[in-house]
Amino acid sequence: MLSPTIPQKALVMALAVDKVRIRPPRATDAEQLAALNRDLGYTTKPQEIVTRMEKVSKLPEHFMAVAEIENGVIGWVQAEHRFSMETGEKAELVGLVVGAGTRRRGVGKLLVQAAEEWAVDRDLSSIVVRSNVVRPESHSFYKRIGYARSKTQHVYAKPLPAASRRHLKDRRG
C-alpha cells in the first residue's frame, strides 16, 4: 500500500533512479544504443555505434555515458567541451536519448547531471543544449531541470563531396 503522504509518481521516480547506474559505454552496448537511436528516428547500425564510441573515447573534449538498469541500457548522453571566439569555453550536450518506456522517471536528469559534473570538473561555467522544434517534450524536460531558452535558430547542413573529405583527411595525416 502506498503512503498517503508520498504521491505514486514520486515513488516510481525514486525507485527508477535508485536502480539506474551511470557508466561509460561499452562495445557490448551497441545493439541497445542503436535501438535507442531508432526511437528518435536515427537509423544507426550497431557497428557504426561501436566505431563512433571508439572515436569519442579518444577525444578528451568529449564525454559519453549510458544509463543502465538490470535489463540493460536505457539511455545515453554525450557532451562536448566547446570553444568559440564569440562565447569562449562552454559545455554542450550534443546527444541525449532515453528509451520511450523509461522516460519521465528521472533517467534523463541523471544523465544530464553526469554531463554537468564532467563540465564542472573541466572548470566550465555553462552548459548548453540544442533541442529540435519537433520534440516539445524535450523542451519542457530541459526547463524542468533548470535550463532556460536563450535563442531560436535555424540549422543549415550541406553534404561535402567525397574528394573534399579525402583532402581534409590527407592534410591531417
Side-chain angles (χ1 to χ4, degrees), residues 32-33 35-40 67 69 72-77 96-108 111:
Q32 293 172 316
L33 294 173
L36 288 167
N37 284 0
R38 282 191 299 274
D39 274 357
L40 290 185
I69 58 173
V73 174
I74 57 172
W76 64 265
V77 67
L96 174 66
V97 180
V98 175
T102 53
R103 291 185 190 140
R104 299 199 189 319
R105 296 192 180 165
V107 176
L111 287 165

Side-chain angles (χ1 to χ4, degrees), residues 25-38 42-57 64 66 73 76 78 97:
R26 299 188 283 255
T28 54
D29 301 327
E31 189 68 47
Q32 293 172 316
L33 294 173
L36 288 167
N37 284 0
R38 282 191 299 274
Y42 299 107
T43 305
T44 314
K45 296 177 183 167
Q47 187 51 49
E48 290 173 300
I49 296 285
V50 171
T51 300
R52 292 174 187 177
M53 282 190 304
E54 288 171 354
K55 285 184 179 183
V56 167
S57 71
M64 189 169 180
V66 299
V73 174
W76 64 265
Q78 183 182 357
V97 180

